[in-house]
Amino acid sequence: MASERPLLIPSTRTPCSPSLQSPQSIPFPGFKPISTTNPSSAYTMDRHGSLDRSGSLSTIQEIPQNPRVLYSSSARTSISSRSNRSKAAAGRNSVEEEFADVSLSSLSIDSLNLPRSKQLGSRGGGESEVFSASQKEINEENARFIYLNDPQLTNDRYEFAGNFIKTSKYSVFSFLPRNLFEQFHRVAYIYFLIIAILNQLPQLAVFGRGASLLPLAVVLLVTAIKDAYEDWRRHRSDRIENNRVVEVLAMEDLQFRLKKWKDIRVGEMVRVKTNETLPCDMVLLSTSDPSGVSYVQTINLDGETNLKTRYAKQETLSLAKDGVISTVAVIKCEQPNRNIYGFQANMEFEDGKRLSLGPSNIILRGCELKNTDWAVGVIVYAGQETKVMLNSSGTPSKRSRLETSMNREIICLSLFLIALCTAVSTCFGIWLQGQNDDDLDIMPYFRKKSFDEDGGNYNFYGLWLEILFMFLMSVIVFQIMIPISLYISMELVRLGQAYFMIRDTELYDEASNSRFQCRALNINEDLGQVKYVFSDKTGTLTENKMDFQRACIGGLDYYGRGTSSNEGGADEIAVKVNGEVWKPKMKLKADSELLKLLKSPGETPEKRQAHDYFLALAACNTIVPLPVETREKGVRLIDYQGESPDEQALVYAAAAYGFVLLERTSGHIVIDVQGEKQRFNILGLHEFDSDRKRMSVIVGCPDQTVRAFVKGADSSMFGVLSKSINSDLVHVTESHLHSYSSLGLRTLVMGMRELTELEFQQWQSDYEKASTSLIGRACLLRSVAGNIESNLKLLGASGVEDKLQQGVPEAIESLRQAGIKVWVLTGDKQETAISIGYSCKLLTSDMKQIIINSRSKEACRKSLREAKALADRNQLRRDAQETFSSAQEPLALIIDGNSLVYILETELEIELFELATACAVVLCCRVAPLQKAGIVALIKNRTYDMTLAIGDGANDVSMIQMADVGIGISGQEGRQAVMASDFAMGQFRFLVPLLLVHGHWNYQRMGYMILYNFYRNAVFVFILFWYVIYAAYTVTTAITEWSSVLYSVIYTSFPTVIVGVLDKDVSHKTLLKYPRLYGAGQRGESYKFKLFCWTMADTLWQSAVVFYIPYFTYRVSTVDISMLGDLWTLAVVILVNIHLAMDVFRWSWITHAALWGTIVATCICISVIDSVPYLPGYWAIFHFANAASFWLDLLFIVVTALIPRFVVKMFKQHLKPSDIQIGREAEKFRNPSNQPSQVTVELQPVVDPVRR
């Protein structure tokens, strides 16, 4: 966002040194310097309009100050960068609006007959706005009225929202119904609920009524406890936030008293002290700074760590006494909205005076007050109506893609179960109809007569009802077909996976001392299927730290060939100010040859050009130097604060070469030039805007000249250079700039123009006309700036490195090789986004850039169609060639937020989707928080691709919550993104091990575990079904009731969990070495419907083997049903565990203990059950196990059942190996030195999945 601070505001925080070299005379006749006690002006004209050249800084004319006049409301007119405000007001996704403040050229002092101040300048924020925001009238019906320090009157008509916030999902009363509602989104839970209800009916009571409810109740309880714990943490965070205190002005005695945040009301006046966080959105009324300036840090809003300035109107500042304003006033402002970059309001006093308020007069909730002792403001928006809260959607309930897909298989199993039960009940009906009624009295499996002394006879309900009852009873008996224990196993596996992710040292950030956080346990496996990564820039890809690297002056390239400015070979930069030693806070590496040139005796053209170059770096900016105390007495560090980290880097670079910026006020700056303090009067300033791509400052120099220093992008600077400049110098500079860009550096070109008296007067006159125009004001100001920024002398160029986080380029390259598309969504300007794209290797020199910057819907439509035609031609060229790399010219789409206003949520969305998915890279610039979420939804709603969003600030919360997987960066940029995320970590580069290693493992383990659970339960059900065929199609079972219950609890569940947590199909080194192995998850190789069908087919074979081998062995024998039941139980437990052992990739002692220990535990449990006299099958296992045939049957069952699976697996891996198998073979054939042998590793190509 463009700077919102008025550049011509005095600062009392950087005291001027008395030993300044002042200009001996003012540059032009007729100008008189105004009192230094009034730094809001630099020069004036006499009453006759002639230029007065007399006077020096030692004899400055004193003019009485009137703060109300010198800082009138017209002095800071807000200019919007959007012409389509009506759409933002209507609730559409708003574009970040640039609100800028015109300098003090337009002060309304005509009525006092005082000389007009000539400190002029334009703001670059306006692009297409006709009227400024402060001049627009607010509709009475859509406005809210805030009465200063009168919350009762303010809330009398409408009860505005309190300051209580809530980010939690549940309350004490809503937890049970809402949590149950969310849990029953799982189809299996509904199924088991129906089964439990059926079992409560007397006619269908197969199991005990309590026992039928127990499995479902346990699963619901465990899940509810987990959800309650997660929401308890949100409640705790809300409680801490709501119970923080701030000073609120009491109406009774007009004294500030502490009050909890949750009790604050709209209309109250609050006082915030330095380093405190703003509790709400408030209009600034007064500050500890006499000029009304306050510095805020907005890391929780836009992720920026640089200080931004907000200021109080001088009218309210002059009425404040110790920060208290007792004057009656009312603020009429717009309704709460999500636009964090805009604010429109008016303040009316009781005397009828009216002030306009803009975004520079409001401080939003979440900002921190910095370098300002205190600030007083009135609350306009509180609680859920604050802009930051409106941009945070509610905490979503996310479920993994794998779990959602599992519902399809659950439905298939349910349909199969219905078919199975229908077959059983139909056959039962046929069998029942063929029997004589008298035979049914004593018929085995269906005995109507009771032979118990106290028992009653069975009540026969007729054929059709008996068939219906048999169907329902079959459903109850075969209910294990739907594995309810699967959900408990999934929760345990996810918990174990989260533990190892948290403990992974490769995800530990030493800089912030923060470990990986797993805040949502139910989407671990989604990390293995990500196709799109949507990333913020500032604080996510970068550290938001700039470093001056290269300088081109006079065609020569200087690149730090010396030592640091504070190390051996160079003198330490230190300046004496008022008896203290001031040093730049940041130490830079200075080029020894350039230092030698600047310190060389005499005056040469090369030295003069280098002097002007660094003078431009020190003067052409909006940086405010703040001296910071140190432990060393008499020594201070100069901390250069500004909204642009680029400007900070340039000013620190100038300081490293002896041009130290010491002071900035609205009227002048003080620079220590090679040990000599010089004062430069600020005559005007034109800030950077995206149309001109330049910034200029007009200064009155000590040598009685007026110069315009200009810096900007090379594309805009070379066209405004003087024609008399040597063309060879221009070509050499362009060559150096190209080399800088190829290194990923952010480049700027510096120029200078010395103004004559006539040129200055002409500029001054043109600016006066433009600044007072109501129509087309922004365009006129740009025109004035363009006139002065012409015929420039080329001073040189700079290369600044935007400090990326460690490993970002390598991480993006690894993600790209893994088939993951990385999109960058940032609120920064387009040039910044493109530059960082090159720095992080997201953009490359061989990419063709498609840039869409449109200001109307039709223009967007035309741009999208032209770009799509280009993408289609590119696709045709690719299809016509044999190889992908030689055919396709990679495309990069760069689109701004203003264009997205006309595209998102319209029919143009589909065109943007088709274009964006055809591009290798997408960069979205100047996007608002909800637009970020809209871009994520663009992909999420139209494809089956998994989306991941990563960010660090509150402006990323909507994007994080919209994506399938949300990751927050826990570092210097606040905590709101972390609190809203599913996972949190310290650096962007951690995405590589998180996705490529843990994500792959989690997905592979979970996919296999789900299929295995379906398999093991289906085997058991089919064994029961085969027995039903030989038991008159009734629900009689050979396996004891206890063994049926323990099968899913003890016999088979524990090994599944252990393997799901510990197994690794490929080592982490191989996964990182071959990123394309990640494609197995994107293609769904571990879990898909085809695998499910093959698993069920294998289940039929294995269950038939388990049942029929003992059946045919003991069909004619004295072995009873209890013995066969024990044999079938042992056989199926051993079978499913050895089946699992065949698929284990990495064995550990825990895996061995779980698998073989489970088999031993099953033998013990069966022995214990058969040792209980009153249970069926007493001592059966002990009689049966003595026979050799028992053990031979077990061996034959296991071998016969697993032979088909073993053969198919062997041939598949030999004839059509997967990428994972190839990777495992590459691991296996490593030589002893742990280096890969000469093995060709050919992986499957990355292809885009099917769209919705």
Side-chain angles (χ1 to χ4, degrees), residues 325 535 947:
I325 298 179
S535 175
T947 58

Side-chain angles (χ1 to χ4, degrees), residues 583-635:
K583 302 176 183 179
K585 183 178 179 180
M586 183 181 298
K587 309 299 171 39
L588 299 180
K589 189 175 183 180
D591 187 274
S592 56
E593 293 187 9
L594 190 51
L595 283 173
K596 184 178 179 180
L597 174 63
L598 290 169
K599 294 182 179 180
S600 62
E603 187 75 17
T604 63
E606 294 80 7
K607 179 181 179 181
R608 186 62 191 174
Q609 184 159 2
H611 178 278
D612 291 340
Y613 174 85
F614 286 107
L615 192 59
L617 295 188
C620 189
N621 56 72
T622 61
I623 294 296
V624 177
L626 298 177
V628 180
E629 297 285 351
T630 63
R631 295 181 179 180
E632 187 178 355
K633 186 177 181 181
V635 177

Side-chain angles (χ1 to χ4, degrees), residues 746-875:
R746 302 159 64 93
T747 58
L748 285 175
V749 176
M750 286 72 184
M752 183 191 73
R753 175 182 177 184
E754 191 166 325
L755 301 179
T756 64
E757 176 181 341
L758 183 61
E759 290 172 338
F760 180 78
Q761 289 181 351
Q762 182 63 45
W763 170 81
Q764 174 189 328
S765 175
D766 292 343
Y767 179 82
E768 288 291 338
K769 295 177 182 179
S771 62
T772 55
S773 175
L774 294 180
I775 300 178
R777 184 167 180 261
C779 296
L780 292 175
L781 289 173
R782 281 200 302 271
S783 177
V784 173
N787 292 335
I788 205 68
E789 296 166 353
S790 60
N791 297 321
L792 301 178
K793 172 186 176 182
L794 179 61
L795 296 179
S798 67
V800 176
E801 179 186 6
D802 188 354
K803 283 287 188 179
L804 289 174
Q805 292 182 8
Q806 180 184 352
V808 167
E810 295 81 3
I812 290 179
E813 180 60 27
S814 295
L815 295 175
R816 181 178 290 162
Q817 292 180 18
I820 299 174
K821 294 185 177 182
V822 181
W823 292 15
V824 175
L825 315 179
T826 177
D828 285 341
K829 299 174 183 177
Q830 180 175 295
E831 296 78 13
T832 304
I834 294 176
S835 179
I836 198 62
Y838 281 109
S839 298
C840 66
K841 302 299 188 294
L842 185 68
L843 295 176
T844 57
S845 57
D846 62 335
M847 285 185 177
K848 184 175 183 61
Q849 296 183 7
I850 301 174
I851 300 178
I852 299 179
N853 295 329
S854 302
R855 295 296 180 268
S856 68
K857 188 172 183 178
E858 288 304 317
C860 289
R861 191 191 309 274
K862 180 180 179 182
S863 299
L864 287 173
R865 290 179 178 176
E866 292 176 352
K868 186 61 171 62
L870 175 63
D872 292 340
R873 291 195 299 270
N874 192 62
Q875 180 68 28

Side-chain angles (χ1 to χ4, degrees), residues 734-746:
E734 287 179 333
S735 176
H736 288 316
L737 285 171
H738 180 73
S739 65
Y740 295 170
S741 298
S742 64
L743 295 174
L745 301 181
R746 302 159 64 93

